[in-house]
């Protein structure tokens, strides 16, 4: 028999989801924050679809197929069989044209009692809920969402407190009929009504409280995972509709409104970290509809204004780093010691990465995954001469290709240890087994790996940074990690400390401090606000290198700054 085709060395979501589809399972595997989970019609009734591993390649393709089959089996077992649907239809017998009170104001309690005792008031709310629950038995996907949206729209004329009470009654009816994990519950939410209720003018107490004004205090908005999963399903349906533009815009407006209870910065984070990546995976990187899924311009202006105020406040309280020379010695010692390591273990590779963070000032993702360091030529020197205190860096992240940044370009940066040692350590890191895998990670996969709470597959960069630099780091700049139950060094603090030390040794007289920071960190020469955000520390005034090699680097930095100034005039 012909041999089975070899499984690819590295799985992709496209390959896994294609295999799942080939099995006839209507579901997809997607990346969560430190875990993966399945979404789709064939798994929607399963009791949770999360797989608590941070990376796709920790499981084989066969294992992911087993997980998909298992969740489908759970979902099938919990689906309502035709006989149960018939039972529900028999149980719920709505009136011919059920509807909520639409144009008439709510009767006063006394009137309601009188009506009920004299002519027998029809249970309008009960009839509407019966009809709604009956409809849900045959709906899914976008049709389900539209039906829920329609029902909520019929309550718009009611007071916020009344609407909230009605919604809780609807949620209870759906849960009783179909279970507490039915997807309709993701749309039947009272998000934002609490604030509306608080803003209502006070009213005199009613002698009798009717069921229509009862408010449940146990309601909680859906979690981010639940909301994102429901949004993903709805977005697929909207993209496949006859008018995808209108459908996607309406969907996003509803989703954005559902986050109104969150802080502005949290909403911005959710859009950039969760909603837009999910939308790109469904719509494609170049889809024109992606522009709809964004933070409103007025909110971005407000967030940026708050950021400026924080930067100004931060620069009034700089932190003294008395042991900065010792910190550089620790990092330099690691890369020198790495020269004797033949095959880096995971811990050794992480130590080398932590050392390079301080010595080069680059971001963790740049050092470990996407960046590259090469020798820097020494202009005016002997043929083939290389700089001793600088390297060429490329692969800058976090710029999103903005004009004037160093996105997809190589530029010279000073280093705080001899360049040959830095380059040798970097090559050894990338050649290690872990390094080869790490450099294939996307930004989202890298974040999931470094932030994973699981015991396996964690890139423990924060723990290693703390172990290396913690004894010498200013205590007032450390943060308490509740999970680790100890004070830890902020990894992002290594970048501004590098800039401060580099300024002491490599600054040219013609360049201001904020412009120097912008130049060596890869920002625009006139990006004053961004450079100010790195003014976190101050050093002792003693010491300034004066070797000829350092002087040449100063001159080149000054020349590059002048070129950047000219290009932005």
């Amino acid at each position: 028999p012909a041999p089975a085709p070899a499984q690819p060395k590295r799985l992709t979501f496209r390959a896994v989801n294609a295999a799942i589809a080939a099995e006839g399972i209507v579901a997809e595997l997607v990346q969560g924050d430190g875990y993966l989970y399945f979404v789709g019609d064939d798994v929607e009734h399963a009791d949770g679809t999360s797989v608590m591993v941070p990376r796709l390649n920790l499981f084989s393709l066969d294992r992911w197929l087993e997980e998909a089959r298992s969740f489908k089996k759970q979902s099938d077992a919990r689906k309502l069989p035709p006989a149960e649907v018939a039972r529900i239809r028999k149980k719920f017998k709505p009136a011919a044209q059920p509807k909520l009170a639409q144009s008439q104001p709510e009767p006063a309690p006394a009137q309601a009692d009188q009506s009920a005792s004299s002519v027998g008031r029809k249970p309008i709310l009960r009839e509407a809920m019966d009809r709604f629950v009956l409809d849900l038995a045959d709906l899914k996907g976008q049709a389900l969402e539209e039906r829920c949206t329609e029902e909520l729209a019929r309550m718009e004329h009611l007071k916020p407190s009344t609407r909230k009470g009605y919604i809780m009654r609807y949620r209870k009816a759906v849960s009783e009929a179909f279970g507490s994990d039915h997807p309709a519950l993701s749309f039947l939410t009272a998000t934002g009504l609490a604030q509306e209720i608080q803003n209502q003018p006070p009213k005199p107490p009613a002698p009798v409280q009717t069921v229509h004004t009862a408010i449940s205090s146990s309601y909680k908005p859906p979690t981010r995972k639940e909301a994102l999963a429901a949004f993903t399903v709805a977005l697929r349906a909207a993209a496949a509709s006859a008018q995808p533009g209108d459908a996607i815009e309406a969907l996003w407006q509803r989703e954005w409104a559902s986050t109104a209870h969150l802080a502005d910065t949290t909403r911005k984070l959710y859009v950039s970290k969760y909603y837009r990546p999910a939308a790109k995976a469904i719509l494609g990187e170049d889809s024109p509809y992606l522009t709809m899924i964004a933070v409103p311009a007025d909110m971005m202006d407000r967030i940026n204004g708050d950021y400026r105020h924080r930067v100004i406040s931060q620069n009034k309280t700089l932190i003294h780093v008395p042991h900065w020379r010792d910190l550089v010695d620790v990092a330099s010692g690691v890369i020198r010691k790495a020269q004797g390591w033949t095959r880096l273990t995971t811990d050794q590779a992480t130590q080398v990465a932590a050392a390079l963070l301080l010595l080069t000032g680059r971001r963790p993702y740049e050092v470990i995954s996407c960046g590259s360091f090469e020798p820097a030529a020494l202009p005016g020197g002997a043929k083939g001469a290389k700089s001793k205190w600088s390297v060429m860096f490329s692969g800058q992240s976090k710029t999103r290709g903005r004009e004037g940044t160093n996105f997809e370009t190589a530029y010279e940066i000073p280093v705080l240890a001899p360049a040959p040692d830095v380059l040798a350590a970097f090559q050894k890191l990338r050649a290690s087994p872990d390094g080869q895998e790490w450099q294939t990670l996307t930004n989202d996969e890298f974040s999931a790996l470094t932030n994973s709470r699981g015991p396996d597959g964690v890139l423990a960069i924060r723990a290693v940074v703390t172990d290396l630099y913690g004894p010498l780091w200013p205590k007032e700049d450390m943060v308490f990690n509740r999970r680790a139950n100890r004070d830890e060094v902020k990894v992002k603090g290594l970048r501004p400390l590098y800039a401060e030390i580099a300024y002491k040794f490599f600054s040219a007289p013609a360049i201001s401090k904020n412009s120097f920071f912008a130049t060596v960190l890869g920002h625009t020469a006139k990006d004053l606000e961004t450079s100010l955000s790195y003014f976190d520390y101050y050093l002792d005034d003693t010491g300034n290198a004066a070797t000829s090699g350092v002087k040449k680097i100063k001159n080149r930095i000054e020349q590059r700054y002048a070129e950047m100034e000219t290009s932005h005039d």
Side-chain angles (χ1 to χ4, degrees):
Q7 182 175 318
K9 293 182 178 179
R10 183 165 184 82
L11 292 177
T12 64
F13 282 99
R14 177 177 295 181
V16 172
N17 287 325
I20 293 174
E23 290 273 319
I25 301 175
V26 183
E28 291 185 5
L29 181 66
V30 295
Q31 177 72 56
D33 185 10
Y35 61 93
L36 289 86
Y37 62 98
F38 291 88
V39 295
D41 293 347
D42 279 355
V43 297
E44 64 180 355
H45 296 289
D47 187 15
T49 62
S50 300
V51 182
M52 301 311 294
V53 297
R55 287 179 293 159
L56 178 69
N57 280 269
L58 290 179
F59 282 176
S60 66
L61 178 60
D62 290 340
R63 176 65 183 275
W64 284 120
L65 289 175
E66 289 178 9
E67 295 288 341
R69 296 186 196 105
S70 174
F71 287 127
K72 182 181 185 302
K73 184 177 180 180
Q74 293 179 29
S75 181
D76 290 343
R78 300 187 59 163
K79 281 183 181 178
L80 292 176
E84 183 66 9
V85 173
R87 186 191 67 79
I88 294 174
R89 289 182 180 277
K90 184 177 180 180
K91 176 182 178 182
F92 295 102
K93 297 180 180 179
Q97 294 182 340
K99 58 183 178 179
L100 301 178
Q102 295 179 2
S103 58
Q104 297 82 4
E106 296 179 80
Q111 294 174 332
D113 293 342
Q114 181 180 2
S115 174
S117 60
S118 59
V119 296
R121 178 180 169 186
K122 294 182 179 180
I124 298 176
L125 178 61
R126 181 72 261 173
E127 291 175 0
M129 288 194 303
D130 289 351
R131 168 61 66 183
F132 177 74
V133 171
L134 184 60
D135 288 348
L136 294 190
D138 299 321
L139 297 178
K140 62 173 59 179
Q142 186 177 6
L144 173 66
E145 179 186 1
E146 290 175 352
R147 181 66 181 89
C148 294
T149 303
E150 174 190 357
E151 199 70 16
L152 291 175
R154 298 170 66 193
M155 307 179 194
E156 288 293 330
H157 67 287
L158 301 174
K159 298 176 183 178
S161 58
T162 305
R163 293 211 311 271
K164 185 173 182 180
Y166 278 17
I167 291 171
M168 302 316 300
R169 294 281 301 276
Y170 271 78
R171 289 177 62 86
K172 182 179 179 181
V174 172
S175 298
E176 290 176 348
F178 304 109
S180 60
D181 58 351
H182 193 274
L185 298 176
S186 300
F187 306 114
L188 297 172
T189 67
T191 302
L193 289 180
Q195 186 62 39
E196 291 187 42
I197 294 171
Q198 292 178 1
N199 295 336
Q200 282 185 272
K203 61 179 181 179
V208 178
Q209 184 182 29
T210 67
V211 293
H212 299 289
T213 58
I215 300 174
S216 171
S217 60
S218 62
Y219 169 72
K220 293 182 180 179
T223 64
R224 174 176 54 77
K225 174 189 170 185
E226 294 168 342
L228 186 63
F231 173 78
T232 302
V233 173
L235 182 60
R236 286 195 183 90
S241 65
Q243 295 181 322
D246 294 340
I248 292 173
E249 183 176 11
L251 170 64
W252 177 244
Q253 292 303 321
R254 290 194 298 271
E255 191 70 20
W256 180 251
S258 73
T259 65
H261 62 289
L262 302 172
D264 288 353
T265 51
T266 304
R267 299 175 82 184
K268 175 179 177 291
L269 174 66
Y270 279 15
V271 171
S272 61
K273 190 172 183 179
Y274 303 111
Y275 283 104
R276 283 187 64 83
K280 286 181 181 179
I282 295 171
L283 304 175
E285 293 278 346
D286 301 324
S287 172
Y289 302 130
L290 284 176
T291 58
M292 300 177 182
I293 303 173
V295 180
D298 58 338
M299 179 176 290
M300 286 301 303
D301 291 341
R302 187 163 62 248
I303 292 173
N304 291 335
D306 293 341
Y307 170 74
R308 295 187 192 100
H309 289 305
R310 289 198 304 273
V311 167
I312 293 172
S313 174
Q314 168 185 309
N315 280 271
K316 293 179 180 178
T317 56
L318 300 180
I319 296 174
H320 180 217
V321 185
H323 303 295
W324 60 273
R325 291 179 182 273
D326 296 324
L327 289 166
V328 172
D329 288 343
V330 168
S332 300
V334 170
I335 64 172
R336 284 196 303 270
K337 188 164 52 174
Q339 296 176 11
W341 295 337
T342 56
R343 183 181 175 87
L344 301 188
T345 65
T346 299
D347 182 62
Q348 289 171 339
T350 312
Q351 287 185 50
V352 171
L356 292 174
L357 291 179
L358 177 58
L359 298 176
T360 68
R362 301 310 102 182
R363 301 179 180 90
Y365 182 55
E366 294 168 347
V367 168
I368 296 173
S369 295
C370 71
S372 178
F373 299 101
E374 301 291 342
L378 195 61
K383 184 178 181 180
K386 304 300 181 184
S387 173
K388 183 180 179 182
W389 293 100
S390 64
V391 298
M392 298 300 295
F393 168 70
S394 60
Q396 181 169 326
S397 66
K398 210 175 178 179
T399 65
R400 299 181 179 89
R402 292 193 299 268
E403 182 181 356
T405 65
N406 291 298
F407 179 70
E408 292 186 343
T409 62
Y411 59 100
E412 188 176 10
I413 62 169
V415 290
L416 306 183
D421 293 347
V422 171
L423 294 169
F426 176 73
Q427 293 300 327
K428 188 154 283 190
L429 170 64
R430 287 299 174 86
S432 68
D434 290 290
Q436 292 181 20
E437 181 178 358
W438 292 340
Q439 62 187 304
T440 66
L441 300 174
T442 66
N443 207 332
D444 290 339
E445 290 172 337
F446 179 83
S447 298
L449 188 61
T450 54
N451 294 317
S452 175
R453 299 190 181 190
D456 300 323
V458 178
L459 204 172
I461 190 67
R462 285 179 291 185
V464 172
V465 164
T466 299
D467 291 340
L468 285 179
Y469 306 124
L472 300 168
W473 202 265
K475 297 303 178 186
E476 64 270 30
D477 192 48
M478 300 181 75
V479 294
F480 182 70
N481 186 330
R482 286 180 294 180
R483 280 193 287 138
N485 194 30
R486 67 168 181 172
D487 289 329
E488 289 191 343
V489 176
K490 296 180 292 186
V491 176
K492 66 179 182 180
L494 300 179
R495 185 165 163 85
L497 180 58
Y498 156 86
E500 196 71 42
I501 299 172
Y503 176 73
K504 174 177 285 294
F505 285 98
F506 301 102
S507 61
I511 305 180
S512 65
K513 187 174 183 178
N514 62 288
S515 296
F516 177 87
F517 275 33
T519 304
V520 301
L521 296 178
H523 299 286
T524 64
K526 295 184 178 181
D527 196 348
L528 178 63
E529 292 176 6
T530 302
S531 62
L532 284 176
S533 69
Y534 289 98
F535 285 19
D536 293 346
Y537 309 111
Y538 70 94
L539 313 176
D540 298 323
D541 293 333
T542 58
N544 193 298
T547 65
S548 60
V550 170
K551 286 182 178 179
K552 291 178 180 178
I553 296 173
K554 289 182 181 181
N555 295 335
R556 292 201 294 276
I557 291 175
E558 184 174 1
Q559 180 181 358
R560 185 159 66 87
Y561 170 72
E563 292 172 353
M564 292 173 67
E565 282 276 276
T566 302
S567 66
H568 287 83
D569 286 340

